[in-house]
Amino acid sequence: MDPTPINGLATYSQNVKSIIDNNCVVCHAAVPKNGAPMSLVTYDQVKNAVLNRGLLTRISLENGDSSLMPQGGPRLPQTTIDIINKWNQDGLLEK
């Protein structure tokens, strides 16, 4: 199911947390699994991943790229990636 477009500012709590929980936490849990290098369970961890760990680049790669996240693909829908991009452009707000 594609997320609904956002009116106003994107926030972690309202728009991004559910995407991360549904697509990333399987490996990027409080104790990372399957070779994941860090957790993505808190606002600060996800914000740091966007700012310093290339999260937006990794989820935006094409299917078949070995660095694509989620690992092994398939690539997230572009509408989902757009929400995380909007959150970044809107200032990475928590709430």
Side-chain angles (χ1 to χ4, degrees):
M1 182 174 111
D2 282 349
T4 326
I6 300 166
N7 294 318
L9 295 174
T11 68
Y12 175 76
S13 304
Q14 289 294 316
N15 310 107
V16 175
K17 184 178 187 319
S18 62
I19 295 169
I20 300 297
D21 289 350
N22 291 329
N23 297 286
C24 309
V25 170
V26 64
C27 293
H28 294 273
V31 176
K33 299 180 234 175
N34 301 321
M38 74 279 200
S39 298
L40 292 175
V41 296
T42 69
Y43 162 74
D44 287 328
Q45 290 167 339
V46 177
K47 179 179 175 183
N48 181 58
V50 169
L51 293 173
N52 302 308
R53 305 289 304 236
L55 184 146
L56 287 167
T57 300
R58 297 289 299 272
I59 64 171
S60 298
L61 295 168
E62 295 304 317
N63 280 316
D65 189 305
S66 62
S67 297
L68 173 68
M69 289 291 132
Q71 188 174 42
R75 187 177 189 264
L76 295 172
Q78 188 61 49
T79 52
T80 300
I81 295 168
D82 290 347
I83 288 172
I84 299 174
N85 274 318
K86 180 170 175 22
W87 176 58
N88 183 41
Q89 291 165 357
D90 288 349
L92 302 167
L93 302 170
E94 184 171 10
K95 298 176 182 180

